[in-house]
């Protein structure tokens, strides 16, 4: 079933859009099935769970951290994480840099923007993000690389609202790119779209979709 779901989603992806298979709360066996079907990029939202999976699964898997990252846990993922999607403060970015420096790594990061109407989602507002980038401190952080932006739309059936939120992030991406990263080829990722809204996200310019339940089935939590 997992292999079939994967194949279906991959067949819908235009060139330049990559799939992060969100395997949180699913066992190794589920990941192994996706792995055998060719999937190498997986997303997790808990540090301990991701680290345990990293240690027990094939080493050519690319692990993306998509959850809310706590400062005191950064050190556990820094040795192996391929991309951190949810950087939502300068402090967190500086802390990732500090841990990455200790391990002599450069860690790729995305800045998370708050685009949904819900109060609960994490992320910078557009203005907070502009302020953070204008202040310029991040330019001295030699062990992180800001590779793009990430956002989550409101959890709603209103496709127009979802589209509007994704489009606002896409236009902000261009503003950030042209203002602060005009010559950085590595600033190119726009992580948006989940199981219920990845079509809208792709239409709005997503380069990384994070899809879980549509591949692995429903999770028993939340
Ligand atoms: C869980 C999660 C996803 C995947 O959600 P699905 O609805 O299962 O596709 C994507 N992004 C983030 C940040 C998540 O926490």
């Amino acid at each position: 079933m997992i292999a079939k779901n994967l194949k279906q989603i991959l067949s819908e992806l235009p060139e330049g859009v990559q799939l992060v298979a969100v395997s949180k709360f699913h066992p190794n066996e589920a990941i192994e099935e996706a792995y055998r079907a060719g999937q190498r990029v997986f997303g997790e939202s808990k540090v301990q769970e991701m680290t345990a999976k990293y240690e027990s699964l094939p080493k050519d898997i690319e692990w993306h951290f998509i959850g809310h990252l706590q400062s005191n846990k950064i050190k556990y993922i820094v040795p192996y994480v391929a991309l951190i999607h949810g950087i939502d403060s300068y402090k967190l970015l500086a802390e990732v840099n500090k841990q990455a420096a200790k391990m002599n790594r450069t860690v790729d990061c995305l800045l998370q923007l708050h685009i949904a109407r819900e109060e609960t989602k994490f992320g910078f507002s557009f203005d907070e993000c502009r302020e953070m980038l204008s202040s310029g401190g991040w330019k001295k952080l030699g062990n992180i690389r800001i590779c793009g932006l990430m956002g989550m739309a409101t959890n709603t059936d209103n496709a127009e609202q979802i589209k509007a939120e994704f489009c606002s992030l896409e236009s902000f991406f261009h503003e950030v790119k042209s203002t602060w990263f005009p010559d950085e080829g590595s600033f190119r990722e726009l992580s948006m779209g989940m199981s219920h809204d990845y079509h809208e996200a792709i239409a709005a310019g997503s380069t990384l979709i994070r899809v879980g339940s549509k591949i692995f089935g429903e999770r028993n939590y939340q």
Side-chain angles (χ1 to χ4, degrees):
M1 203 53 192
I2 290 172
K4 189 166 160 261
N5 295 341
L6 254 180
K7 207 172 151 202
Q8 168 63 36
I9 294 165
L10 289 172
S11 74
E12 299 167 353
L13 300 191
E15 224 183 287
V17 181
Q18 214 190 2
L19 170 66
V20 180
V22 176
S23 48
K24 63 187 185 192
F25 294 85
H26 291 284
N28 280 6
E29 293 72 46
I31 299 176
E32 282 161 350
E33 188 175 342
Y35 181 90
R36 280 194 299 275
Q39 182 67 22
R40 292 294 180 271
V41 183
F42 292 89
E44 290 282 338
S45 62
K46 297 271 186 282
V47 165
Q48 258 185 323
E49 183 180 356
M50 184 164 90
T51 303
K53 286 171 172 173
Y54 160 72
E55 284 168 358
S56 53
L57 287 161
K59 289 294 173 288
D60 62 340
I61 289 179
E62 228 184 76
W63 293 101
H64 288 207
F65 191 79
I66 62 167
H68 184 65
L69 185 57
Q70 290 169 282
S71 290
N72 59 337
K73 295 188 177 162
I74 295 169
K75 58 178 179 283
Y76 300 112
I77 65 169
V78 154
Y80 67 89
V81 70
L83 184 63
I84 298 175
H85 288 235
I87 299 292
D88 62 359
S89 71
Y90 178 77
K91 202 167 157 246
L92 187 60
L93 191 66
E95 194 57 36
V96 171
N97 184 70
K98 186 172 147 194
Q99 298 300 330
K102 280 189 195 167
M103 298 181 207
N104 216 355
R105 273 204 80 197
T106 300
V107 174
D108 286 347
C109 296
L110 304 179
L111 304 177
Q112 182 172 359
L113 277 299
H114 184 283
I115 55 170
R117 282 194 204 155
E118 291 130 330
E119 295 276 321
T120 53
K121 303 244 160 97
F122 295 104
F124 291 100
S125 68
F126 291 160
D127 272 340
E128 287 165 349
C129 189
R130 287 182 186 107
E131 251 173 62
M132 191 278 280
L133 291 167
S134 296
S135 73
W138 57 276
K139 291 180 187 165
K140 297 193 207 93
L141 305 178
N143 291 79
I144 54 95
R145 194 162 67 151
I146 301 174
C147 295
L149 307 179
M150 179 267 208
M152 289 164 88
T154 303
N155 187 2
T156 170
D157 291 331
N158 183 341
E160 291 311 311
Q161 186 184 342
I162 291 170
K163 275 185 217 165
E165 290 173 0
F166 285 149
C167 286
S168 75
L169 185 57
E170 198 262 352
S171 86
F172 187 65
F173 174 88
H174 288 292
E175 176 191 326
V176 171
K177 168 100 186 133
S178 63
T179 312
W180 289 284
F181 301 92
D183 304 316
E184 322 287 330
S186 52
F187 187 93
R188 59 163 188 233
E189 303 295 354
L190 186 48
S191 168
M192 52 187 201
M194 305 169 42
S195 290
H196 67 283
D197 59 16
Y198 70 91
H199 290 112
E200 287 86 356
I202 290 169
S206 174
T207 66
L208 281 174
I209 60 169
R210 310 176 309 270
V211 177
S213 43
K214 206 163 174 202
I215 299 169
F216 297 107
E218 292 304 322
R219 297 176 290 270
N220 303 313
Y221 83 108
Q222 276 177 358

